[in-house]
Amino acid sequence: MFNWIKLVERNMRRNLRRTILTILTIALATFIYTVLVSVPASMDRVVKDASGTLRLIINNKTAPWEDLPARYCDDINKMPGVAACVAITGWPSTWRDVSDPVFAVGAGPEISSVFPDYALTEEQRRGSLREKRSAIVGEILMRKYGWKIGDTITLRSADSDHMEMTFVITGEMASKRYPNTFLMRRDYLMAARKAHGLPDEDIAWNIIVRATSNDTMATLAKQIDEHFANSDAETRTMTESDALSSGLSAIGNIRAIVFALCLVVLLTVLLIAANSTVMMVREQISDVAVMRALGFSRSAVAFLLFGECAAIGLLGGIIGALPALWMFSGGITLGAALGGNGALWVTPAQTLNALIAALVVSLISGIVPILEAVRISPALAFRKVV
């Protein structure tokens, strides 16, 4: 085995510059491929995780983009099967400029009961009650903007009302499901709206309910919609996973776009690697002839040449995939793609997927030139290099 490895290593150094450029090309493509395949996987992860949360999302039935009265929670809390209810009011905002978007949401103290996966500590809850300007921020959003607990920041409305609000970051949210959340007190948001001359209505973008058990969710959703059937703002209740899936479908077929880009990346690498392999095999025709004359079988020669292709693909895959894992294993925000929920994570599974793809593409690129080379007789090979 050592001799085979030595021969592969020697052949790779025959034209070192071309070998390095080919490896770097495969590495760059592998990096891009690793990140791309992680996008749909990360979205699937968010939706899958939401399927077990026992939460129902309530929106306006006739116009999902319209608000709901926050007082609906009073009636919902009296229904059997309800563990907790909270009204959520969103505030699209920016930090320093429009390139720093923050999807802030205001909620009451019931938020910790509806979202136990926020894992809010008792100290965070007490801090929120003490400081009206308090904000609890997801770990990825904190890392993205370099915020720290205790920082005072000012956010500005992304709309045309020019509203500004100042917050004190009192806690960091470690939830993997909502790492981009900027959570503030809803009464502070409503007071700021009133001070800026916006409609003085106790409205909610949506209302979120946590059921007592999975068995009661379907019945509870039906009961809520029937209760508000003849109101001014009728409701449409769905599970959290269905709401996230619906939101993803509204922004287009991301999965198809990502897979199409992955295919383009793979085909590009295949063409580049194939061109490099053709030149590599052409330079080694005389070596192939000598090996065949010395008694090496065609399969042994092919194994050596494919070994060189595999080494180039493997090195390129490692150089490209491992940095992607290192950079994005902690997650990066997907921004508006999930309304501030979820993130993009590169996992070891996606890294291995990309590494295998780089190896396979590199091997495929050598099939035609290598099979042609091993079919050449030793005498013909020597005449070709004369």
Side-chain angles (χ1 to χ4, degrees):
M1 179 59 70
F2 174 80
N3 290 334
W4 286 108
I5 294 175
K6 192 69 175 178
L7 284 172
V8 168
E9 184 267 336
R10 190 208 65 180
N11 287 339
M12 290 176 64
R13 288 191 289 109
R14 181 189 295 270
N15 194 322
L16 188 58
R17 182 172 61 180
R18 186 178 68 231
T19 300
I20 291 175
L21 289 176
T22 304
I23 290 174
L24 292 178
T25 300
I26 294 175
L28 177 61
T30 303
F31 179 88
I32 297 172
Y33 178 86
T34 307
V35 176
L36 286 175
V37 297
S38 298
V39 172
S42 297
M43 292 182 175
D44 289 344
R45 172 182 176 177
V46 172
V47 175
K48 181 180 178 181
D49 287 349
S51 63
T53 61
L54 301 181
R55 281 192 287 267
L56 297 171
I57 310 297
I58 305 172
N59 293 307
N60 191 308
K61 179 180 179 180
T62 54
W65 57 88
E66 294 289 342
D67 301 320
L68 288 171
R71 66 177 185 277
Y72 277 12
C73 259
D74 297 335
D75 291 346
I76 293 172
N77 276 321
K78 300 174 184 177
M79 298 179 182
V82 175
C85 177
V86 66
I88 300 290
T89 303
W91 183 49
S93 57
T94 61
W95 179 33
R96 291 168 299 200
D97 52 51
V98 293
S99 65
D100 297 325
V102 176
F103 188 80
V105 294
E110 310 86 359
I111 190 73
S112 60
S113 299
V114 177
F115 287 85
D117 43 321
Y118 273 4
L120 300 181
T121 65
E122 185 62 30
E123 178 58 32
Q124 288 174 336
R125 287 193 287 267
R126 286 199 300 263
S128 179
L129 293 174
R130 287 194 305 265
E131 172 59 68
K132 192 171 184 178
R133 301 176 303 162
S134 70
I136 299 175
V137 185
E139 59 180 359
I140 288 182
L141 195 61
M142 290 274 280
R143 186 168 65 244
K144 177 182 179 181
Y145 293 139
W147 294 338
K148 301 182 297 295
I149 294 177
D151 285 354
T152 299
I153 62 170
T154 298
L155 300 183
R156 298 167 181 81
S157 176
D159 298 328
S160 57
D161 49 43
H162 306 295
M163 189 169 78
E164 291 188 0
M165 296 182 68
T166 301
F167 300 93
V168 177
I169 300 178
T170 58
E172 179 177 335
M173 193 181 303
S175 171
K176 293 294 185 183
R177 195 172 293 125
Y178 299 97
N180 310 300
T181 299
F182 189 99
L183 180 64
M184 60 179 160
R185 286 177 48 164
R186 188 168 171 276
D187 57 349
Y188 180 44
L189 173 61
M190 303 313 291
R193 285 173 53 88
K194 181 178 179 180
H196 283 79
L198 298 175
D200 183 19
E201 299 175 333
D202 192 16
I203 50 90
W205 278 22
N206 52 49
I207 293 172
I208 304 178
V209 177
R210 187 166 67 88
T212 54
S213 68
N214 190 59
D215 296 334
T216 63
M217 291 186 68
T219 303
L220 181 58
K222 182 178 179 181
Q223 184 181 359
I224 292 171
D225 290 341
E226 288 177 350
H227 182 82
F228 299 107
N230 296 316
S231 63
D232 292 336
E234 296 187 0
T235 62
R236 182 189 178 203
T237 306
M238 64 182 74
T239 64
E240 187 177 17
S241 58
D242 287 343
L244 288 173
S245 297
S246 178
L248 289 178
S249 64
I251 59 176
N253 195 344
I254 293 180
R255 188 183 305 276
I257 295 173
V258 168
F259 286 153
L261 290 174
C262 287
L263 182 60
V264 170
V265 170
L266 292 177
L267 288 176
T268 302
V269 174
L270 180 62
L271 292 174
I272 294 172
N275 182 64
S276 178
T277 304
V278 168
M279 291 186 288
M280 177 266 290
V281 172
R282 184 178 300 166
E283 291 175 354
Q284 297 184 48
I285 290 295
S286 59
D287 291 348
V288 171
V290 171
M291 294 177 68
R292 294 284 288 115
L294 292 174
F296 283 80
S297 65
R298 289 179 176 176
S299 60
V301 175
F303 181 78
L304 174 63
L305 296 176
F306 275 119
E308 185 173 348
C309 292
I312 290 174
L314 189 61
L315 284 173
I318 291 173
I319 294 173
L322 291 185
L325 177 64
W326 175 72
M327 293 172 64
F328 303 122
S329 60
I332 59 169
T333 179
L334 284 172
L338 286 176
N341 301 325
L344 183 148
W345 291 275
V346 173
T347 66
Q350 274 96 51
T351 305
L352 181 60
N353 180 317
L355 189 57
I356 293 174
L359 180 61
V360 170
V361 167
S362 186
L363 289 173
I364 291 175
S365 70
I367 291 177
V368 174
I370 290 175
L371 292 182
E372 289 182 350
V374 298
R375 284 201 299 265
I376 297 176
S377 67
L380 181 60
F382 280 123
R383 286 200 297 272
K384 283 183 176 289
V385 297
V386 171

